[in-house]
Amino acid sequence: MSEVYAFIEAEKTTHHVALLCRLLKVARSSFYAWLAGEKPRRAKQAADDALAHEITVLHLASRGAYGVPRIHAGRRRLGHRVNRKRIERLMRERGISGVTR
């Protein structure tokens, strides 16, 4: 659905938003709600990228052995509070996994 909203965003300089929304069968209020949430989405993506970089550094420092529990514990030891599930999601998305016996 975000592709439709991105298309409307790109074409709103040449056509009216109301016309585009009517043609694409989406509510105009939904488009504006998506548009208002764009800045927070980009901020979260930037924060996730920074955290993923830190996770990668910790993972490489352990020679690829550390998984989610140890990465989470290492972040807590450094004084950074991050949810364990967020670390798990980022590691899964980027294909980072620890060594299991």
Side-chain angles (χ1 to χ4, degrees):
M1 195 56 145
S2 65
E3 296 88 17
V4 173
Y5 297 139
F7 176 76
I8 294 172
E9 173 68 19
E11 294 296 320
K12 75 178 184 180
T13 57
T14 57
H15 303 289
H16 293 287
V17 172
L19 174 68
L20 291 169
C21 289
R22 196 174 335 118
L23 289 174
L24 297 171
K25 295 182 171 88
V26 295
R28 200 170 33 159
S29 62
S30 298
F31 167 70
Y32 285 116
W34 173 83
L35 195 61
E38 185 66 24
K39 189 175 179 181
R41 273 193 300 276
R42 288 180 194 228
K44 184 173 191 247
Q45 183 62 41
D48 279 352
D49 290 342
L51 180 59
H53 176 71
E54 292 177 16
I55 289 171
T56 304
V57 167
L58 284 173
H59 185 71
L60 292 175
S62 71
R63 292 176 287 163
Y66 282 8
V68 175
R70 286 186 176 170
I71 296 284
H72 182 253
R75 298 261 316 143
R76 285 183 62 93
R77 256 186 264 113
L78 294 173
H80 302 210
R81 293 187 57 184
V82 174
N83 191 327
R84 183 179 180 277
K85 291 181 181 180
R86 184 175 180 192
I87 293 174
E88 184 178 347
R89 176 181 55 84
L90 290 173
M91 288 180 71
R92 185 178 350 102
E93 287 174 355
R94 286 162 174 80
I96 302 170
S97 61
V99 175
T100 58
R101 290 183 182 197

